[in-house]
């Protein structure tokens, strides 16, 4: 088990969270729901092979088929306003490094709390990596130089707060899907982890 104090070296990029998680039964039901409905998910892909990864078949659960009651097991416990999201990657995805922006018409994604759902074996769950842009410009992506700062290790089987305003990407170097239940917020990362430190992020 990780202590909150020991986890601070992962900041300002991410923070493991203890004390809240889906029950094994609900996680199984979420996985079954996701796989049964995946063909109805919204997909985004980019076939352009960039120097640093590419978007390759991300899967987004539409609002009208969101398994809200299952998500409520965790989502209803937060003391902050959150939006529900399920996001997945197709096999052998090497996600493009990016910072999340506010998109009109979509819930804000300044930071989020991420819960791995599928696959069940956390040792095969691909990492989320965080980077610094150390040379060049993001607009000239293929000639920019990124330096990896840290990676989320999902083998702890813990949810994770992400700072979406730092450069990051998702990797799924397996022959299976990778799906997360996520709760997004417009609060900055520092504010979310400060609430967590004080025991005020969730009931």
């Amino acid at each position: 088990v990780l202590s909150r104090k020991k986890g601070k070296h992962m900041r300002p990029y991410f923070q493991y969270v203890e004390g809240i998680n889906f029950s094994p039964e609900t996680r199984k039901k979420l996985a079954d729901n996701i796989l049964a409905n995946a063909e109805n998910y919204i997909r985004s892909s980019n076939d352009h092979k960039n120097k640093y990864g590419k978007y390759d078949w991300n899967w987004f659960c539409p609002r009208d088929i969101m398994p809200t009651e299952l998500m409520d097991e965790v989502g209803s416990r937060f003391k902050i306003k959150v939006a529900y999201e399920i996001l997945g990657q197709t096999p052998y995805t090497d996600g493009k490094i990016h910072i999340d922006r506010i998109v009109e018409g979509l819930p804000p994604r300044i930071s989020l709390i991420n819960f791995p759902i599928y696959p069940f074996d956390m040792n095969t769950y691909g990492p989320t990596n965080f980077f610094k842009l150390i040379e060049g410009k993001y607009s000239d992506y293929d000639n920019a130089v990124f330096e990896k700062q840290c990676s989320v290790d999902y083998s702890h089987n813990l949810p994770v707060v992400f700072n979406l305003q730092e450069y990051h990407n998702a990797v799924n170097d397996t022959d299976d899907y990778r799906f997360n239940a996520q709760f997004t917020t417009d609060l900055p990362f520092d504010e979310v982890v400060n609430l967590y430190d004080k025991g005020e992020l969730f009931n």
Side-chain angles (χ1 to χ4, degrees), residues 57-124:
W57 289 113
N58 278 323
W59 302 68
F60 301 88
C61 181
R63 299 282 160 199
D64 61 345
I65 61 171
M66 183 72 63
T68 305
E69 289 187 8
L70 295 174
M71 296 280 282
D72 278 344
E73 180 180 273
V74 163
S76 64
R77 293 180 58 191
F78 285 107
K79 296 182 178 182
I80 61 174
K81 184 179 179 181
V82 294
Y84 291 14
E85 224 179 55
I86 295 176
L87 174 63
Q89 285 78 39
T90 206
Y92 304 112
T93 287
D94 179 15
K96 187 177 179 182
I97 299 169
H98 66 288
I99 287 176
D100 282 42
R101 305 295 184 189
I102 293 178
V103 178
E104 187 175 349
L106 296 178
R109 302 177 93 252
I110 302 302
S111 52
L112 68 76
I113 306 95
N114 183 59
F115 292 75
I117 299 297
Y118 181 87
F120 296 112
D121 182 357
M122 290 289 90
N123 292 304
T124 65

Side-chain angles (χ1 to χ4, degrees), residues 4 8 11 15 161 188-201:
R4 296 181 186 182
K8 289 186 178 179
R11 299 178 185 178
Q15 173 63 52
V161 182
F189 175 81
D190 288 347
E191 190 169 341
V192 175
V193 294
N194 184 51
L195 290 170
Y196 172 61
D197 287 341
K198 295 190 295 185
E200 297 176 0
L201 182 59

